[in-house]
Amino acid sequence: MTLGGAESVVIERSRVKTLLALGGCVLFVVGSVAIWRAESPVIGILGLVTFGVFGAYILHALFRSGPGLVVDDEGFTDQSSAGAVGRVLWADVTELGTWSHQGANVLVVGLRNPEDYVARLSAVSRRYARVNLSMMGTPVTIASTGLKTDYDSLFALMNERLERSRLRLDSNPPRT
């Protein structure tokens, strides 16, 4: 597949991983109801609301069409999560990093002007992106958990395309 003349790599969403996540949310909702009734109404309601919202998003994602991530020589288009910012140009990327939490890795994409990316999002996605911005210094984070790839392959692909872009920019500096 090509976009704008550049060779693209398309990574589809993983329905299996999404169904497993939905199953986990259902279990947490059931557990939250049990906690609400037996032990602590406040904690139970908090869990019910939290995992109910996560479950609703996961259910929505299950029926979404289109790929989760498209990577090409000009940048990438991320539609892999609720806070996905859409199209990001390699020229705006300052670095790639990894954030790890409880054994799961997330790709963290540093940007030159992160607020420009936050500003173009819907109200719900903007809230999610602002949390990422305050926690990780960028609104762009990509987890492989909802994609048909593993983290190491995702990082290698993104790193290779970023380096390719930098080499191209170094050999063709912008004219001023």
Side-chain angles (χ1 to χ4, degrees), residues 33-100:
V33 169
I35 290 170
W36 176 14
R37 290 182 164 206
E39 298 172 25
S40 175
V42 173
I43 292 174
I45 290 171
L46 184 62
L48 183 64
V49 170
T50 301
F51 290 104
V53 169
F54 287 160
Y57 170 73
I58 292 169
L59 191 60
H60 172 74
L62 190 61
F63 295 104
R64 240 169 122 181
S65 62
L69 184 68
V70 178
V71 183
D72 61 43
D73 286 341
E74 302 302 318
F76 60 92
T77 304
D78 177 25
Q79 297 299 327
S80 63
S81 69
V85 300
R87 185 72 176 160
V88 176
L89 299 177
W90 291 124
D92 291 339
V93 175
T94 58
E95 65 183 333
L96 298 177
T98 301
W99 179 72
S100 297

Side-chain angles (χ1 to χ4, degrees), residues 6-162:
E7 181 184 321
S8 298
V9 176
V10 177
I11 302 174
E12 299 294 335
R13 289 183 186 90
S14 172
R15 298 236 184 261
V16 172
K17 291 178 184 178
T18 304
L19 284 170
L20 289 172
L22 183 61
C25 276
V26 168
L27 289 175
F28 277 104
V29 165
V30 169
S32 295
V33 169
I35 290 170
W36 176 14
R37 290 182 164 206
E39 298 172 25
S40 175
V42 173
I43 292 174
I45 290 171
L46 184 62
L48 183 64
V49 170
T50 301
F51 290 104
V53 169
F54 287 160
Y57 170 73
I58 292 169
L59 191 60
H60 172 74
L62 190 61
F63 295 104
R64 240 169 122 181
S65 62
L69 184 68
V70 178
V71 183
D72 61 43
D73 286 341
E74 302 302 318
F76 60 92
T77 304
D78 177 25
Q79 297 299 327
S80 63
S81 69
V85 300
R87 185 72 176 160
V88 176
L89 299 177
W90 291 124
D92 291 339
V93 175
T94 58
E95 65 183 333
L96 298 177
T98 301
W99 179 72
S100 297
H101 181 66
Q102 295 183 349
N105 292 325
V106 176
L107 178 68
V108 178
V109 181
L111 299 174
R112 292 188 203 296
N113 300 306
E115 284 295 336
D116 292 348
Y117 284 88
V118 173
R120 68 185 191 191
L121 298 173
S122 69
V124 172
S125 294
R126 196 172 346 174
R127 203 168 239 176
Y128 183 85
R130 287 209 186 284
V131 169
N132 280 344
L133 188 57
S134 68
M135 285 177 53
M136 292 177 241
T138 181
V140 182
T141 59
I142 304 172
S144 64
T145 53
L147 298 170
K148 287 185 177 178
T149 190
D150 60 63
Y151 179 78
D152 292 335
S153 299
L154 174 65
F155 188 88
L157 169 68
M158 297 291 279
N159 195 50
E160 185 267 329
R161 290 301 176 102
L162 176 60

